[in-house]
Amino acid sequence: MTDCIFCRIARGEIPAKIVAQDDDLVAFHDLGPQAPVHVLVIPRKHIPTANDIGQEDGALLGRIWTRIPAIAAELGIASVGYRVVNNCLAPAGQSVFHLHFHLLGGRVMGWPPG
Ligand code: AMP
């Protein structure tokens, strides 16, 4: 999608502090970090919300989930623990409508989330 901010980051049109990228995904530091480590992992493909994940996206999502622990390891949080969050729709906290996974770590996490 042309004017989606995360599509624009994926295309390199606006700056981001990228920590990993490949043909499937881009991972970059969140502008408003909620933990010492707060990285967003996004598919390059524009999928608005988790509700829009289709059968055809299964392999892509599998590859992304295979990559997330490796990104956590590169960020130094794999062995101490981390949280992966997807907010689906505004009532759950979604503000950018391009599928993304928050990768959070570097502090103890509370539960339940707010
Ligand atoms: P969500 O509220 O779950 O949709 O998460 C969107 C996240 O994107 C928020 O944590 C924002 O801080 C983050 N964000 C928005 N714009 C940017 C940007 N240009 N670069 C990095 N992170 C961003």
Side-chain angles (χ1 to χ4, degrees):
M1 184 185 276
T2 311
D3 57 354
C4 165
I5 189 166
F6 285 180
C7 284
R8 296 190 69 196
I9 287 173
R11 290 196 298 262
E13 293 174 1
I14 58 175
K17 292 169 68 177
I18 291 174
V19 298
Q21 58 182 324
D22 60 22
D23 288 346
D24 294 316
L25 65 80
V26 182
F28 52 94
H29 288 280
D30 195 295
L31 269 186
Q34 300 300 311
V37 176
H38 187 173
V39 162
L40 301 173
V41 181
I42 69 167
R44 288 188 183 277
K45 178 180 178 182
H46 183 79
I47 301 171
T49 80
N51 286 340
D52 301 302
I53 296 170
Q55 288 292 329
E56 69 279 13
D57 299 315
L60 170 64
L61 269 293
R63 291 194 297 275
I64 288 174
W65 267 100
T66 301
R67 193 82 172 84
I68 283 174
I71 294 170
E74 288 160 21
L75 293 166
I77 57 172
S79 61
V80 293
Y82 56 90
R83 181 173 290 175
V84 181
V85 174
N86 168 254
N87 298 323
C88 181
L89 300 180
Q94 186 172 9
S95 60
V96 177
F97 285 76
H98 179 125
L99 183 69
H100 52 281
F101 300 103
H102 297 258
L103 172 56
L104 299 144
R107 64 169 170 80
V108 174
M109 303 283 165
W111 193 264

